[in-house]
Amino acid sequence: MIKKIGILLVLLCFFTKSEGQIIEKNAKGRVGMKMGFGISSMKGEELENYRPYFGYQFGITHNIKLSKRLKFRYELIADLRGSKFKVLGDSTYNKISTMYLNLPVEFGYTYRKTKKAESEFYVGFQTSRLLVSRIFKGVDLRPTETDLPFKKFDYGITFGHIWNKKNWGFKIGIYSGLADINDGLNYKSIPGLKRTNKNIGTQSLNVGFVF
């Protein structure tokens, strides 16, 4: 599943990159590729002692100019995120890994513009579709189960900053999930899991390059 999604997004990136050159000539916007990494963790009343998880992102992005200062942007991003837990031995679970397909919709405001670069603040809303989920056990990270009892959709707010040059940009942003993705997760060996079926959310700090 992950390989198929990766191949599809790579093909879309190359296709939309060539299409984006035409759009850019018409001064309507720009289509490009985005690649980066993220630091994420799960949150909520159900979990304790969760740790940061390092993942990656890649996909396509489309910017549309609304005015000299305002932009509208949407993206289609494959996002590997999750959460780690404090390891207590070989018999305990210590990592949950998930792959989402993100669709963020954002509005940006360019507050500084020069001949060489632009600086932009943005805020938006993101919907995510869960594709793959795994739980890992022991200090050697053995995958023990897939298709965990998480809800298929997550959603939340996103905001951050973009520094754009002519042919590339640097983007840093925060995602804060508003949804409860817990759909009955109940593993007795997960350190810090209360097993009260309360809410579990997601959060992440993402850094990426846009071309």
Side-chain angles (χ1 to χ4, degrees):
M1 174 67 75
I2 297 178
K3 290 182 179 180
K4 292 181 179 179
I5 295 169
I7 293 172
L8 178 60
L9 284 174
V10 169
L11 292 175
L12 283 173
C13 284
F14 283 107
F15 174 76
T16 53
K17 186 65 175 178
S18 61
E19 291 294 319
Q21 294 173 356
I22 299 174
I23 294 175
E24 189 175 7
K25 289 179 180 179
N26 293 330
K28 294 181 180 179
R30 181 176 181 179
V31 179
M33 298 179 289
K34 178 184 174 183
M35 294 180 289
F37 64 91
I39 303 173
S40 62
S41 71
M42 294 180 176
K43 61 180 181 178
E45 298 180 37
E46 181 65 24
L47 299 176
E48 291 179 340
N49 301 320
Y50 38 83
R51 300 290 188 269
Y53 176 95
F54 292 87
Y56 59 85
Q57 294 183 329
F58 65 95
I60 58 176
T61 178
H62 184 196
N63 289 273
I64 301 174
K65 295 181 180 179
L66 301 178
S67 68
K68 291 183 178 180
R69 295 286 182 178
L70 295 177
K71 294 180 182 178
F72 172 74
R73 176 174 46 255
Y74 61 90
E75 300 175 343
L76 187 63
I77 305 294
D79 183 13
L80 179 65
R81 49 185 156 114
S83 191
K84 289 186 177 181
F85 302 90
K86 185 176 180 180
V87 179
L88 300 180
D90 289 338
S91 61
T92 59
Y93 299 97
N94 61 7
K95 184 174 75 170
I96 294 177
S97 177
T98 59
M99 173 67 80
Y100 280 88
L101 188 62
N102 298 340
L103 180 61
V105 177
E106 302 164 349
F107 288 92
Y109 175 75
T110 301
Y111 66 92
R112 182 181 299 166
K113 187 174 183 179
T114 65
K115 293 181 179 180
K116 295 183 178 180
E118 295 181 0
S119 298
E120 170 193 331
F121 287 122
Y122 73 89
V123 63
F125 186 83
Q126 175 176 298
T127 302
S128 303
R129 173 65 161 84
L130 179 64
L131 303 175
V132 180
S133 59
R134 292 182 178 180
I135 192 166
F136 293 78
K137 184 178 181 180
V139 294
D140 56 350
L141 297 177
R142 299 187 303 272
T144 59
E145 189 172 343
T146 60
D147 297 326
L148 305 180
F150 289 136
K151 296 175 182 177
K152 295 300 181 182
F153 288 93
D154 185 22
Y155 57 87
I157 57 173
T158 179
F159 58 92
H161 183 271
I162 303 177
W163 184 69
N164 282 314
K165 296 204 75 172
K166 183 177 180 181
N167 296 317
W168 64 278
F170 178 75
K171 181 177 182 179
I172 181 169
I174 293 175
Y175 171 74
S176 180
L178 302 176
D180 177 12
I181 65 170
N182 190 7
D183 199 20
L185 185 67
N186 187 7
Y187 291 91
K188 294 182 179 180
S189 298
I190 295 182
L193 185 62
K194 298 179 181 178
R195 293 174 295 282
T196 56
N197 203 32
K198 291 186 178 181
N199 65 297
I200 296 177
T202 60
Q203 57 189 359
S204 62
L205 170 66
N206 304 303
V207 177
F209 292 91
V210 181
F211 303 94

